[in-house]
Structures are given as structure tokens and as C-alpha cells.
């Protein structure tokens, strides 16, 4: 519909939104499957282990996909460091993860922009 010459009825067709949602969901499930398959990778670098626990860096971990990936990792006993500048992420997601996994050293959040020079 229009109001004073401005068109407010412009929106994406529903099929585009559904397609993007399916792609995002498929990629998330693929990543989660790959993480489960590589729980004990050959030649694992000892730098990424602490007390026998794998440490994973998640960039964009305050967003929807990143926070769910971090949740999956934490549920599978990984140590997780999240780096996010919160430009699109949500600090609430980090706080929920911190409440679910309060153990020291399990979850670390770093507010940073990796694009900064």
C-alpha cells in the first residue's frame, strides 16, 4: 500500500525467506554433523587441548547460528571461546550460554571486531 507516495508494501516473496531459512538450517546441521564426526581428529594439535578437552574458537557466536553451534560444542564437552562485535549478534545469547555452562574455563566471550586493523 502507499502513503504520501511511499511504497510500504515491498517485501520479499515468502519462498525466498523459506529458501534462505532452509539453506541456513542445512548448513548448521552439516556443521554439527561434521563436528560430531571429528570428535577425535588424527594429529590434533596439543595447543588446542587443555586437560584433554578440545578448545574451539567461534566467530560470530552471539548470532543465531553461532550461538547454537557454541551450544552444541559446549554440550559435547568442548571449551569454547566466542569472538563477536555484537553488530548483528545478541549479548543475551552469550548470557544464556554462560548460565547454562558456568564452569570456569568452559566458555569465554571476547568483544572484538576481527575486521579492525
Amino acid at each position: 500500500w502507499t502513503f504520501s507516495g511511499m511504497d510500504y508494501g515491498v517485501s520479499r516473496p515468502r519462498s525466498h525467506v523459506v529458501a534462505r531459512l532452509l539453506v541456513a538450517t542445512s548448513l548448521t546441521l552439516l556443521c554439527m554433523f561434521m563436528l560430531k564426526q571429528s570428535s577425535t581428529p588424527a594429529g590434533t594439535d596439543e595447543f588446542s587441548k587443555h586437560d584433554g578437552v578440545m578448545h574451539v574458537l567461534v566467530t560470530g557466536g552471539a548470532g543465531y547460528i553461532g550461538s547454537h553451534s557454541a551450544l552444541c560444542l559446549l554440550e559435547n564437552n568442548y571449551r569454547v571461546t566466542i569472538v563477536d562485535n555484537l553488530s548483528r549478534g545478541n549479548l543475551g545469547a552469550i548470557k544464556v550460554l554462560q548460565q547454562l555452562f558456568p564452569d570456569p574455563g568452559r566458555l569465554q566471550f571476547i568483544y572484538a571486531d576481527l575486521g579492525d586493523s
Side-chain angles (χ1 to χ4, degrees), residues 1-58:
W1 53 279
T2 59
F3 182 72
S4 300
M6 297 179 159
D7 187 14
Y8 291 101
V10 177
S11 65
R12 291 186 182 173
R14 185 177 183 100
S15 62
H16 287 191
V17 174
V18 171
R20 286 186 176 202
L21 182 61
L22 287 173
V23 168
T25 303
S26 299
L27 289 173
T28 302
L29 291 173
L30 177 65
C31 289
M32 294 168 84
F33 174 76
M34 290 173 61
L35 285 172
K36 284 224 181 242
Q37 295 301 316
S38 66
S39 61
T40 56
T44 301
D45 186 8
E46 289 301 315
F47 174 77
S48 61
K49 284 191 173 184
H50 178 71
D51 294 332
V53 178
M54 183 69 73
H55 191 173
V56 180
L57 173 68
V58 178

Side-chain angles (χ1 to χ4, degrees), residues 67-112:
S67 62
H68 282 79
S69 298
L71 175 63
C72 180
L73 289 165
L74 289 163
E75 286 175 339
N76 287 293
N77 297 319
Y78 287 83
R79 289 179 50 229
V80 176
T81 297
I82 295 174
V83 178
D84 202 308
N85 65 358
L86 300 177
S87 64
R88 294 181 179 228
N90 183 351
L91 188 58
I94 302 299
K95 290 185 180 193
V96 168
L97 289 173
Q98 289 173 333
Q99 290 173 354
L100 290 172
F101 301 94
D103 302 334
R106 284 292 306 280
L107 175 64
Q108 179 182 11
F109 173 68
I110 300 172
Y111 175 76

